Amino acid sequence: NAGVMQNPRHLVRRRGQEARLRCSPMKGHSHVYWYRQLPEEGLKFMVYLQKENIIDESGMPKERFSAEFPKEGPSILRIQQVVRGDSAAYFCASSPMDRGDGNTIYFGEGSWLTVV
Amino acid sequence: AQSVTQPDIHITVSEGASLELRCNYSYGATPYLFWYVQSPGQGLQLLLKYFSGDTLVQGIKGFEAEFKRSQSSFNLRKPSVHWSDAAEYFCAVGGGSQGNLIFGKGTKLSVKP
């Protein structure tokens, strides 16, 4: 059973460009979460999505950031007009619908964004 | 406010020595508690979790953690550390109906031979 798959693993963007990060949840999981990890910091929640729905986006910056989880295909975290401060590791996580094991979420390997 | 505190930023232990990493939380409801480990440049691996029942939980790689409600703590322990345990450890708290977890800032573990 494949884990949470993220790509690209490493992404370099110039200031002002767009960054798109993709996440395929574990098989059978319909809940997706995005977290950001800044250097020397723990993970900070950004957004929680189910298929075609944003459930909680309380951690998303108000501008330039958006996320989607379409009916078909991976979840996408999109950052427009990137700035140096967006350089971070972005982690996707997923959990099953039935929450049979509580709120356990499983993380992907992360996407490291560097803005130059 | 909901929060997780890991008081130790960096800990160094000798290989074979015992280990305890501290975690304190502040959470309004019944907490679900987790410990994750992260190696450099890697994602997070779940070590163990507590939902209810026995307050001493066993995890992978020989780790265990004890939930103490009176102290709002969930400390991680290992009786004998191996060099491969060197990594960063994150404590996290969440609720059953909440989609997101709140993480501590992590404790970096170094193991000396």
PDB file of all heavy atoms in Angstrom, chain A residues 9 33 35 37 41-43 45 48 91 99 101 103-105 107-109 112, chain B residues 34 36 38 41-43 46 49 51 90 95-96 98-101 103-105:
ATOM      1  N   ARG A   9       9.674  16.716  -5.081  1.00  0.00           N
ATOM      2  CA  ARG A   9      10.336  16.695  -3.779  1.00  0.00           C
ATOM      3  C   ARG A   9      11.087  17.987  -3.529  1.00  0.00           C
ATOM      4  O   ARG A   9      11.153  18.473  -2.412  1.00  0.00           O
ATOM      5  CB  ARG A   9      11.295  15.517  -3.667  1.00  0.00           C
ATOM      6  CG  ARG A   9      10.636  14.154  -3.629  1.00  0.00           C
ATOM      7  CD  ARG A   9       9.823  13.939  -2.349  1.00  0.00           C
ATOM      8  NE  ARG A   9      10.508  14.346  -1.139  1.00  0.00           N
ATOM      9  CZ  ARG A   9      11.420  13.632  -0.495  1.00  0.00           C
ATOM     10  NH1 ARG A   9      11.768  12.450  -0.953  1.00  0.00           N
ATOM     11  NH2 ARG A   9      11.993  14.084   0.601  1.00  0.00           N
ATOM     12  N   TYR A  33      -4.482  17.015   4.213  1.00  0.00           N
ATOM     13  CA  TYR A  33      -4.045  18.163   5.013  1.00  0.00           C
ATOM     14  C   TYR A  33      -2.722  18.676   4.443  1.00  0.00           C
ATOM     15  O   TYR A  33      -1.883  17.882   4.011  1.00  0.00           O
ATOM     16  CB  TYR A  33      -3.810  17.757   6.479  1.00  0.00           C
ATOM     17  CG  TYR A  33      -4.886  16.895   7.069  1.00  0.00           C
ATOM     18  CD1 TYR A  33      -4.916  15.534   6.830  1.00  0.00           C
ATOM     19  CD2 TYR A  33      -5.886  17.439   7.872  1.00  0.00           C
ATOM     20  CE1 TYR A  33      -5.910  14.727   7.365  1.00  0.00           C
ATOM     21  CE2 TYR A  33      -6.874  16.639   8.414  1.00  0.00           C
ATOM     22  CZ  TYR A  33      -6.880  15.285   8.147  1.00  0.00           C
ATOM     23  OH  TYR A  33      -7.863  14.493   8.669  1.00  0.00           O
ATOM     24  N   TYR A  35       0.587  21.065   5.542  1.00  0.00           N
ATOM     25  CA  TYR A  35       1.312  21.723   6.620  1.00  0.00           C
ATOM     26  C   TYR A  35       2.556  22.373   6.028  1.00  0.00           C
ATOM     27  O   TYR A  35       3.099  21.916   5.021  1.00  0.00           O
ATOM     28  CB  TYR A  35       1.756  20.699   7.681  1.00  0.00           C
ATOM     29  CG  TYR A  35       0.664  20.172   8.577  1.00  0.00           C
ATOM     30  CD1 TYR A  35      -0.230  19.209   8.117  1.00  0.00           C
ATOM     31  CD2 TYR A  35       0.530  20.637   9.875  1.00  0.00           C
ATOM     32  CE1 TYR A  35      -1.227  18.724   8.949  1.00  0.00           C
ATOM     33  CE2 TYR A  35      -0.460  20.143  10.713  1.00  0.00           C
ATOM     34  CZ  TYR A  35      -1.338  19.185  10.230  1.00  0.00           C
ATOM     35  OH  TYR A  35      -2.320  18.710  11.056  1.00  0.00           O
ATOM     36  N   GLN A  37       6.483  23.748   7.106  1.00  0.00           N
ATOM     37  CA  GLN A  37       7.537  23.725   8.114  1.00  0.00           C
ATOM     38  C   GLN A  37       8.614  24.721   7.711  1.00  0.00           C
ATOM     39  O   GLN A  37       9.336  24.523   6.747  1.00  0.00           O
ATOM     40  CB  GLN A  37       8.140  22.326   8.236  1.00  0.00           C
ATOM     41  CG  GLN A  37       9.177  22.212   9.349  1.00  0.00           C
ATOM     42  CD  GLN A  37       9.744  20.812   9.464  1.00  0.00           C
ATOM     43  OE1 GLN A  37       9.887  20.093   8.472  1.00  0.00           O
ATOM     44  NE2 GLN A  37      10.046  20.397  10.684  1.00  0.00           N
ATOM     45  N   GLU A  41      11.445  25.396  12.869  1.00  0.00           N
ATOM     46  CA  GLU A  41      10.096  25.461  13.417  1.00  0.00           C
ATOM     47  C   GLU A  41       9.421  24.104  13.292  1.00  0.00           C
ATOM     48  O   GLU A  41       9.810  23.264  12.484  1.00  0.00           O
ATOM     49  CB  GLU A  41       9.253  26.488  12.647  1.00  0.00           C
ATOM     50  CG  GLU A  41       9.707  27.920  12.806  1.00  0.00           C
ATOM     51  CD  GLU A  41       9.300  28.482  14.133  1.00  0.00           C
ATOM     52  OE1 GLU A  41       8.208  28.138  14.635  1.00  0.00           O
ATOM     53  OE2 GLU A  41      10.076  29.275  14.704  1.00  0.00           O
ATOM     54  N   GLY A  42       8.378  23.909  14.079  1.00  0.00           N
ATOM     55  CA  GLY A  42       7.547  22.731  13.911  1.00  0.00           C
ATOM     56  C   GLY A  42       6.604  22.930  12.742  1.00  0.00           C
ATOM     57  O   GLY A  42       6.636  23.944  12.052  1.00  0.00           O
ATOM     58  N   LEU A  43       5.779  21.954  12.524  1.00  0.00           N
ATOM     59  CA  LEU A  43       4.825  22.036  11.420  1.00  0.00           C
ATOM     60  C   LEU A  43       3.632  22.907  11.808  1.00  0.00           C
ATOM     61  O   LEU A  43       3.121  22.810  12.922  1.00  0.00           O
ATOM     62  CB  LEU A  43       4.316  20.641  11.049  1.00  0.00           C
ATOM     63  CG  LEU A  43       5.191  19.856  10.094  1.00  0.00           C
ATOM     64  CD1 LEU A  43       6.448  19.378  10.778  1.00  0.00           C
ATOM     65  CD2 LEU A  43       4.423  18.679   9.503  1.00  0.00           C
ATOM     66  N   PHE A  45      -0.222  23.924  10.603  1.00  0.00           N
ATOM     67  CA  PHE A  45      -1.360  23.542   9.787  1.00  0.00           C
ATOM     68  C   PHE A  45      -1.722  24.663   8.816  1.00  0.00           C
ATOM     69  O   PHE A  45      -1.727  25.845   9.174  1.00  0.00           O
ATOM     70  CB  PHE A  45      -2.547  23.234  10.692  1.00  0.00           C
ATOM     71  CG  PHE A  45      -3.855  23.105   9.986  1.00  0.00           C
ATOM     72  CD1 PHE A  45      -4.168  21.963   9.265  1.00  0.00           C
ATOM     73  CD2 PHE A  45      -4.779  24.140  10.036  1.00  0.00           C
ATOM     74  CE1 PHE A  45      -5.389  21.845   8.618  1.00  0.00           C
ATOM     75  CE2 PHE A  45      -5.998  24.034   9.395  1.00  0.00           C
ATOM     76  CZ  PHE A  45      -6.310  22.892   8.679  1.00  0.00           C
ATOM     77  N   TYR A  48      -7.242  21.917   5.373  1.00  0.00           N
ATOM     78  CA  TYR A  48      -7.776  20.555   5.451  1.00  0.00           C
ATOM     79  C   TYR A  48      -8.864  20.436   4.386  1.00  0.00           C
ATOM     80  O   TYR A  48      -9.791  21.255   4.336  1.00  0.00           O
ATOM     81  CB  TYR A  48      -8.308  20.334   6.863  1.00  0.00           C
ATOM     82  CG  TYR A  48      -9.247  19.180   7.099  1.00  0.00           C
ATOM     83  CD1 TYR A  48      -9.129  17.979   6.409  1.00  0.00           C
ATOM     84  CD2 TYR A  48     -10.242  19.284   8.076  1.00  0.00           C
ATOM     85  CE1 TYR A  48      -9.994  16.932   6.661  1.00  0.00           C
ATOM     86  CE2 TYR A  48     -11.097  18.237   8.338  1.00  0.00           C
ATOM     87  CZ  TYR A  48     -10.973  17.060   7.633  1.00  0.00           C
ATOM     88  OH  TYR A  48     -11.821  16.020   7.889  1.00  0.00           O
ATOM     89  N   PHE A  91       4.373  19.856   3.699  1.00  0.00           N
ATOM     90  CA  PHE A  91       4.029  18.458   3.904  1.00  0.00           C
ATOM     91  C   PHE A  91       2.536  18.250   3.691  1.00  0.00           C
ATOM     92  O   PHE A  91       1.713  19.018   4.166  1.00  0.00           O
ATOM     93  CB  PHE A  91       4.393  18.004   5.320  1.00  0.00           C
ATOM     94  CG  PHE A  91       5.864  17.864   5.535  1.00  0.00           C
ATOM     95  CD1 PHE A  91       6.598  18.903   6.061  1.00  0.00           C
ATOM     96  CD2 PHE A  91       6.511  16.689   5.195  1.00  0.00           C
ATOM     97  CE1 PHE A  91       7.977  18.778   6.249  1.00  0.00           C
ATOM     98  CE2 PHE A  91       7.880  16.548   5.388  1.00  0.00           C
ATOM     99  CZ  PHE A  91       8.610  17.601   5.911  1.00  0.00           C
ATOM    100  N   ARG A  99     -12.216   7.468  10.247  1.00  0.00           N
ATOM    101  CA  ARG A  99     -11.535   7.867  11.481  1.00  0.00           C
ATOM    102  C   ARG A  99     -11.505   6.719  12.493  1.00  0.00           C
ATOM    103  O   ARG A  99     -11.550   6.925  13.684  1.00  0.00           O
ATOM    104  CB  ARG A  99     -12.214   9.084  12.124  1.00  0.00           C
ATOM    105  CG  ARG A  99     -12.389  10.269  11.219  1.00  0.00           C
ATOM    106  CD  ARG A  99     -11.099  11.014  11.057  1.00  0.00           C
ATOM    107  NE  ARG A  99     -11.252  12.204  10.267  1.00  0.00           N
ATOM    108  CZ  ARG A  99     -11.482  13.411  10.762  1.00  0.00           C
ATOM    109  NH1 ARG A  99     -11.582  13.571  12.068  1.00  0.00           N
ATOM    110  NH2 ARG A  99     -11.625  14.443   9.986  1.00  0.00           N
ATOM    111  N   ASP A 101      -9.192   4.964  13.461  1.00  0.00           N
ATOM    112  CA  ASP A 101      -8.086   5.010  14.412  1.00  0.00           C
ATOM    113  C   ASP A 101      -7.890   6.423  14.910  1.00  0.00           C
ATOM    114  O   ASP A 101      -6.781   6.922  15.028  1.00  0.00           O
ATOM    115  CB  ASP A 101      -6.808   4.454  13.780  1.00  0.00           C
ATOM    116  CG  ASP A 101      -6.360   5.264  12.571  1.00  0.00           C
ATOM    117  OD1 ASP A 101      -7.135   6.114  12.111  1.00  0.00           O
ATOM    118  OD2 ASP A 101      -5.236   5.045  12.114  1.00  0.00           O
ATOM    119  N   ASN A 103      -7.699  10.277  15.042  1.00  0.00           N
ATOM    120  CA  ASN A 103      -7.342  11.329  14.116  1.00  0.00           C
ATOM    121  C   ASN A 103      -5.934  11.133  13.587  1.00  0.00           C
ATOM    122  O   ASN A 103      -5.241  12.091  13.295  1.00  0.00           O
ATOM    123  CB  ASN A 103      -7.456  12.676  14.818  1.00  0.00           C
ATOM    124  CG  ASN A 103      -7.620  13.802  13.828  1.00  0.00           C
ATOM    125  OD1 ASN A 103      -8.137  13.605  12.747  1.00  0.00           O
ATOM    126  ND2 ASN A 103      -7.150  14.968  14.193  1.00  0.00           N
ATOM    127  N   THR A 104      -5.513   9.870  13.439  1.00  0.00           N
ATOM    128  CA  THR A 104      -4.161   9.631  12.959  1.00  0.00           C
ATOM    129  C   THR A 104      -4.043  10.080  11.519  1.00  0.00           C
ATOM    130  O   THR A 104      -4.876   9.736  10.676  1.00  0.00           O
ATOM    131  CB  THR A 104      -3.823   8.142  13.035  1.00  0.00           C
ATOM    132  OG1 THR A 104      -3.989   7.704  14.379  1.00  0.00           O
ATOM    133  CG2 THR A 104      -2.389   7.902  12.611  1.00  0.00           C
ATOM    134  N   ILE A 105      -3.051  10.875  11.249  1.00  0.00           N
ATOM    135  CA  ILE A 105      -2.801  11.271   9.877  1.00  0.00           C
ATOM    136  C   ILE A 105      -1.399  10.829   9.499  1.00  0.00           C
ATOM    137  O   ILE A 105      -0.507  10.747  10.340  1.00  0.00           O
ATOM    138  CB  ILE A 105      -2.999  12.787   9.669  1.00  0.00           C
ATOM    139  CG1 ILE A 105      -2.024  13.612  10.482  1.00  0.00           C
ATOM    140  CG2 ILE A 105      -4.427  13.179  10.020  1.00  0.00           C
ATOM    141  CD1 ILE A 105      -2.132  15.106  10.194  1.00  0.00           C
ATOM    142  N   PHE A 107       1.897  11.203   6.970  1.00  0.00           N
ATOM    143  CA  PHE A 107       2.559  12.255   6.223  1.00  0.00           C
ATOM    144  C   PHE A 107       3.320  11.731   5.012  1.00  0.00           C
ATOM    145  O   PHE A 107       3.853  10.608   5.026  1.00  0.00           O
ATOM    146  CB  PHE A 107       3.542  13.004   7.130  1.00  0.00           C
ATOM    147  CG  PHE A 107       2.867  13.960   8.063  1.00  0.00           C
ATOM    148  CD1 PHE A 107       2.371  13.528   9.274  1.00  0.00           C
ATOM    149  CD2 PHE A 107       2.729  15.290   7.712  1.00  0.00           C
ATOM    150  CE1 PHE A 107       1.729  14.408  10.132  1.00  0.00           C
ATOM    151  CE2 PHE A 107       2.096  16.185   8.571  1.00  0.00           C
ATOM    152  CZ  PHE A 107       1.591  15.744   9.775  1.00  0.00           C
ATOM    153  N   GLY A 108       3.381  12.593   4.009  1.00  0.00           N
ATOM    154  CA  GLY A 108       4.252  12.329   2.877  1.00  0.00           C
ATOM    155  C   GLY A 108       5.671  12.761   3.184  1.00  0.00           C
ATOM    156  O   GLY A 108       5.976  13.218   4.289  1.00  0.00           O
ATOM    157  N   GLU A 109       6.550  12.622   2.183  1.00  0.00           N
ATOM    158  CA  GLU A 109       7.966  12.925   2.355  1.00  0.00           C
ATOM    159  C   GLU A 109       8.259  14.426   2.274  1.00  0.00           C
ATOM    160  O   GLU A 109       9.357  14.852   2.588  1.00  0.00           O
ATOM    161  CB  GLU A 109       8.786  12.201   1.290  1.00  0.00           C
ATOM    162  CG  GLU A 109       8.736  10.688   1.403  1.00  0.00           C
ATOM    163  CD  GLU A 109       9.674  10.167   2.477  1.00  0.00           C
ATOM    164  OE1 GLU A 109      10.892  10.341   2.320  1.00  0.00           O
ATOM    165  OE2 GLU A 109       9.196   9.606   3.478  1.00  0.00           O
ATOM    166  N   TRP A 112      10.201  20.441  -0.807  1.00  0.00           N
ATOM    167  CA  TRP A 112      11.030  21.562  -0.339  1.00  0.00           C
ATOM    168  C   TRP A 112      11.047  22.643  -1.400  1.00  0.00           C
ATOM    169  O   TRP A 112      11.572  22.442  -2.501  1.00  0.00           O
ATOM    170  CB  TRP A 112      12.443  21.075  -0.037  1.00  0.00           C
ATOM    171  CG  TRP A 112      12.638  20.630   1.374  1.00  0.00           C
ATOM    172  CD1 TRP A 112      13.253  21.329   2.371  1.00  0.00           C
ATOM    173  CD2 TRP A 112      12.196  19.409   1.970  1.00  0.00           C
ATOM    174  NE1 TRP A 112      13.231  20.601   3.549  1.00  0.00           N
ATOM    175  CE2 TRP A 112      12.591  19.435   3.337  1.00  0.00           C
ATOM    176  CE3 TRP A 112      11.512  18.287   1.494  1.00  0.00           C
ATOM    177  CZ2 TRP A 112      12.325  18.384   4.225  1.00  0.00           C
ATOM    178  CZ3 TRP A 112      11.244  17.259   2.378  1.00  0.00           C
ATOM    179  CH2 TRP A 112      11.640  17.304   3.715  1.00  0.00           C
TER     180      TRP A 112
ATOM    181  N   PHE B  34       0.244  12.468  19.877  1.00  0.00           N
ATOM    182  CA  PHE B  34       1.087  11.761  18.916  1.00  0.00           C
ATOM    183  C   PHE B  34       2.542  12.157  19.117  1.00  0.00           C
ATOM    184  O   PHE B  34       2.854  13.279  19.517  1.00  0.00           O
ATOM    185  CB  PHE B  34       0.702  12.142  17.477  1.00  0.00           C
ATOM    186  CG  PHE B  34      -0.755  11.954  17.149  1.00  0.00           C
ATOM    187  CD1 PHE B  34      -1.690  12.922  17.487  1.00  0.00           C
ATOM    188  CD2 PHE B  34      -1.181  10.819  16.492  1.00  0.00           C
ATOM    189  CE1 PHE B  34      -3.034  12.763  17.179  1.00  0.00           C
ATOM    190  CE2 PHE B  34      -2.525  10.645  16.173  1.00  0.00           C
ATOM    191  CZ  PHE B  34      -3.439  11.616  16.521  1.00  0.00           C
ATOM    192  N   TYR B  36       5.905  12.030  16.513  1.00  0.00           N
ATOM    193  CA  TYR B  36       6.442  11.757  15.182  1.00  0.00           C
ATOM    194  C   TYR B  36       7.958  11.952  15.226  1.00  0.00           C
ATOM    195  O   TYR B  36       8.480  12.758  16.002  1.00  0.00           O
ATOM    196  CB  TYR B  36       5.868  12.718  14.144  1.00  0.00           C
ATOM    197  CG  TYR B  36       4.426  12.490  13.771  1.00  0.00           C
ATOM    198  CD1 TYR B  36       3.396  13.054  14.504  1.00  0.00           C
ATOM    199  CD2 TYR B  36       4.101  11.714  12.652  1.00  0.00           C
ATOM    200  CE1 TYR B  36       2.070  12.855  14.147  1.00  0.00           C
ATOM    201  CE2 TYR B  36       2.778  11.513  12.280  1.00  0.00           C
ATOM    202  CZ  TYR B  36       1.767  12.090  13.034  1.00  0.00           C
ATOM    203  OH  TYR B  36       0.459  11.884  12.667  1.00  0.00           O
ATOM    204  N   GLN B  38      11.368  12.747  12.622  1.00  0.00           N
ATOM    205  CA  GLN B  38      11.751  13.234  11.303  1.00  0.00           C
ATOM    206  C   GLN B  38      13.266  13.196  11.160  1.00  0.00           C
ATOM    207  O   GLN B  38      13.976  13.839  11.936  1.00  0.00           O
ATOM    208  CB  GLN B  38      11.244  14.668  11.101  1.00  0.00           C
ATOM    209  CG  GLN B  38      11.535  15.222   9.720  1.00  0.00           C
ATOM    210  CD  GLN B  38      11.091  16.673   9.563  1.00  0.00           C
ATOM    211  OE1 GLN B  38      11.088  17.443  10.513  1.00  0.00           O
ATOM    212  NE2 GLN B  38      10.690  17.053   8.356  1.00  0.00           N
ATOM    213  N   GLY B  41      15.700  16.079   5.978  1.00  0.00           N
ATOM    214  CA  GLY B  41      15.248  16.000   4.590  1.00  0.00           C
ATOM    215  C   GLY B  41      14.169  14.977   4.328  1.00  0.00           C
ATOM    216  O   GLY B  41      13.864  14.682   3.175  1.00  0.00           O
ATOM    217  N   GLN B  42      13.597  14.464   5.384  1.00  0.00           N
ATOM    218  CA  GLN B  42      12.576  13.419   5.237  1.00  0.00           C
ATOM    219  C   GLN B  42      11.236  13.871   5.803  1.00  0.00           C
ATOM    220  O   GLN B  42      11.140  14.913   6.454  1.00  0.00           O
ATOM    221  CB  GLN B  42      13.023  12.146   5.956  1.00  0.00           C
ATOM    222  CG  GLN B  42      14.321  11.564   5.440  1.00  0.00           C
ATOM    223  CD  GLN B  42      14.207  11.089   4.015  1.00  0.00           C
ATOM    224  OE1 GLN B  42      13.251  10.412   3.645  1.00  0.00           O
ATOM    225  NE2 GLN B  42      15.177  11.443   3.185  1.00  0.00           N
ATOM    226  N   GLY B  43      10.228  13.060   5.549  1.00  0.00           N
ATOM    227  CA  GLY B  43       8.923  13.331   6.109  1.00  0.00           C
ATOM    228  C   GLY B  43       8.815  12.864   7.546  1.00  0.00           C
ATOM    229  O   GLY B  43       9.806  12.472   8.160  1.00  0.00           O
ATOM    230  N   LEU B  46       5.172   8.299  12.089  1.00  0.00           N
ATOM    231  CA  LEU B  46       4.448   8.167  13.345  1.00  0.00           C
ATOM    232  C   LEU B  46       5.131   7.129  14.238  1.00  0.00           C
ATOM    233  O   LEU B  46       5.332   5.995  13.829  1.00  0.00           O
ATOM    234  CB  LEU B  46       3.002   7.756  13.074  1.00  0.00           C
ATOM    235  CG  LEU B  46       2.108   7.557  14.283  1.00  0.00           C
ATOM    236  CD1 LEU B  46       1.866   8.883  14.996  1.00  0.00           C
ATOM    237  CD2 LEU B  46       0.774   6.930  13.871  1.00  0.00           C
ATOM    238  N   LYS B  49       0.808   6.783  19.342  1.00  0.00           N
ATOM    239  CA  LYS B  49      -0.333   7.674  19.520  1.00  0.00           C
ATOM    240  C   LYS B  49      -1.124   7.238  20.751  1.00  0.00           C
ATOM    241  O   LYS B  49      -1.108   6.066  21.132  1.00  0.00           O
ATOM    242  CB  LYS B  49      -1.230   7.632  18.288  1.00  0.00           C
ATOM    243  CG  LYS B  49      -1.740   6.233  17.961  1.00  0.00           C
ATOM    244  CD  LYS B  49      -2.329   6.165  16.570  1.00  0.00           C
ATOM    245  CE  LYS B  49      -2.778   4.731  16.248  1.00  0.00           C
ATOM    246  NZ  LYS B  49      -3.194   4.554  14.855  1.00  0.00           N
ATOM    247  N   PHE B  51      -5.091   7.627  22.317  1.00  0.00           N
ATOM    248  CA  PHE B  51      -6.460   8.108  22.182  1.00  0.00           C
ATOM    249  C   PHE B  51      -7.212   7.958  23.503  1.00  0.00           C
ATOM    250  O   PHE B  51      -7.892   8.866  23.946  1.00  0.00           O
ATOM    251  CB  PHE B  51      -7.210   7.332  21.098  1.00  0.00           C
ATOM    252  CG  PHE B  51      -6.636   7.514  19.726  1.00  0.00           C
ATOM    253  CD1 PHE B  51      -6.680   6.493  18.800  1.00  0.00           C
ATOM    254  CD2 PHE B  51      -6.047   8.702  19.351  1.00  0.00           C
ATOM    255  CE1 PHE B  51      -6.142   6.661  17.536  1.00  0.00           C
ATOM    256  CE2 PHE B  51      -5.504   8.878  18.098  1.00  0.00           C
ATOM    257  CZ  PHE B  51      -5.559   7.843  17.179  1.00  0.00           C
ATOM    258  N   PHE B  90       8.861  15.229  17.179  1.00  0.00           N
ATOM    259  CA  PHE B  90       7.773  16.189  17.312  1.00  0.00           C
ATOM    260  C   PHE B  90       6.599  15.570  18.064  1.00  0.00           C
ATOM    261  O   PHE B  90       6.152  14.467  17.735  1.00  0.00           O
ATOM    262  CB  PHE B  90       7.276  16.648  15.942  1.00  0.00           C
ATOM    263  CG  PHE B  90       8.264  17.476  15.181  1.00  0.00           C
ATOM    264  CD1 PHE B  90       9.127  16.882  14.268  1.00  0.00           C
ATOM    265  CD2 PHE B  90       8.352  18.844  15.390  1.00  0.00           C
ATOM    266  CE1 PHE B  90      10.043  17.643  13.558  1.00  0.00           C
ATOM    267  CE2 PHE B  90       9.268  19.613  14.684  1.00  0.00           C
ATOM    268  CZ  PHE B  90      10.116  19.007  13.768  1.00  0.00           C
ATOM    269  N   GLY B  95      -7.841  16.757  18.164  1.00  0.00           N
ATOM    270  CA  GLY B  95      -9.079  16.252  18.683  1.00  0.00           C
ATOM    271  C   GLY B  95      -9.738  15.340  17.670  1.00  0.00           C
ATOM    272  O   GLY B  95      -9.456  15.414  16.487  1.00  0.00           O
ATOM    273  N   GLY B  96     -10.634  14.502  18.104  1.00  0.00           N
ATOM    274  CA  GLY B  96     -11.231  13.525  17.207  1.00  0.00           C
ATOM    275  C   GLY B  96     -11.970  14.143  16.045  1.00  0.00           C
ATOM    276  O   GLY B  96     -11.958  13.635  14.942  1.00  0.00           O
ATOM    277  N   GLN B  98     -11.431  17.225  14.944  1.00  0.00           N
ATOM    278  CA  GLN B  98     -10.638  18.264  14.299  1.00  0.00           C
ATOM    279  C   GLN B  98      -9.781  17.639  13.221  1.00  0.00           C
ATOM    280  O   GLN B  98      -9.222  16.566  13.396  1.00  0.00           O
ATOM    281  CB  GLN B  98      -9.734  18.952  15.327  1.00  0.00           C
ATOM    282  CG  GLN B  98     -10.493  19.692  16.396  1.00  0.00           C
ATOM    283  CD  GLN B  98     -11.243  20.872  15.843  1.00  0.00           C
ATOM    284  OE1 GLN B  98     -10.761  21.580  14.984  1.00  0.00           O
ATOM    285  NE2 GLN B  98     -12.461  21.060  16.309  1.00  0.00           N
ATOM    286  N   GLY B  99      -9.655  18.331  12.113  1.00  0.00           N
ATOM    287  CA  GLY B  99      -8.856  17.771  11.044  1.00  0.00           C
ATOM    288  C   GLY B  99      -7.382  18.001  11.227  1.00  0.00           C
ATOM    289  O   GLY B  99      -6.567  17.293  10.648  1.00  0.00           O
ATOM    290  N   ASN B 100      -7.010  18.993  12.026  1.00  0.00           N
ATOM    291  CA  ASN B 100      -5.602  19.359  12.050  1.00  0.00           C
ATOM    292  C   ASN B 100      -4.959  19.026  13.388  1.00  0.00           C
ATOM    293  O   ASN B 100      -5.620  18.887  14.404  1.00  0.00           O
ATOM    294  CB  ASN B 100      -5.446  20.854  11.794  1.00  0.00           C
ATOM    295  CG  ASN B 100      -6.248  21.690  12.760  1.00  0.00           C
ATOM    296  OD1 ASN B 100      -7.456  21.549  12.836  1.00  0.00           O
ATOM    297  ND2 ASN B 100      -5.585  22.545  13.513  1.00  0.00           N
ATOM    298  N   LEU B 101      -3.655  18.880  13.344  1.00  0.00           N
ATOM    299  CA  LEU B 101      -2.861  18.663  14.535  1.00  0.00           C
ATOM    300  C   LEU B 101      -2.076  19.922  14.856  1.00  0.00           C
ATOM    301  O   LEU B 101      -1.712  20.695  13.971  1.00  0.00           O
ATOM    302  CB  LEU B 101      -1.878  17.508  14.324  1.00  0.00           C
ATOM    303  CG  LEU B 101      -2.473  16.133  14.047  1.00  0.00           C
ATOM    304  CD1 LEU B 101      -1.363  15.103  13.895  1.00  0.00           C
ATOM    305  CD2 LEU B 101      -3.433  15.721  15.143  1.00  0.00           C
ATOM    306  N   PHE B 103       1.432  21.070  16.470  1.00  0.00           N
ATOM    307  CA  PHE B 103       2.741  20.492  16.716  1.00  0.00           C
ATOM    308  C   PHE B 103       3.565  21.359  17.649  1.00  0.00           C
ATOM    309  O   PHE B 103       3.466  22.596  17.642  1.00  0.00           O
ATOM    310  CB  PHE B 103       3.514  20.354  15.398  1.00  0.00           C
ATOM    311  CG  PHE B 103       3.117  19.167  14.581  1.00  0.00           C
ATOM    312  CD1 PHE B 103       2.014  19.227  13.744  1.00  0.00           C
ATOM    313  CD2 PHE B 103       3.840  17.992  14.639  1.00  0.00           C
ATOM    314  CE1 PHE B 103       1.644  18.126  12.977  1.00  0.00           C
ATOM    315  CE2 PHE B 103       3.479  16.889  13.876  1.00  0.00           C
ATOM    316  CZ  PHE B 103       2.377  16.962  13.048  1.00  0.00           C
ATOM    317  N   GLY B 104       4.418  20.697  18.420  1.00  0.00           N
ATOM    318  CA  GLY B 104       5.475  21.408  19.128  1.00  0.00           C
ATOM    319  C   GLY B 104       6.583  21.773  18.158  1.00  0.00           C
ATOM    320  O   GLY B 104       6.563  21.364  16.992  1.00  0.00           O
ATOM    321  N   LYS B 105       7.566  22.509  18.654  1.00  0.00           N
ATOM    322  CA  LYS B 105       8.647  22.962  17.777  1.00  0.00           C
ATOM    323  C   LYS B 105       9.719  21.899  17.562  1.00  0.00           C
ATOM    324  O   LYS B 105      10.643  22.109  16.781  1.00  0.00           O
ATOM    325  CB  LYS B 105       9.277  24.236  18.326  1.00  0.00           C
ATOM    326  CG  LYS B 105       8.345  25.429  18.245  1.00  0.00           C
ATOM    327  CD  LYS B 105       9.074  26.739  18.501  1.00  0.00           C
ATOM    328  CE  LYS B 105       8.135  27.911  18.253  1.00  0.00           C
ATOM    329  NZ  LYS B 105       8.823  29.207  18.401  1.00  0.00           N
TER     330      LYS B 105
END
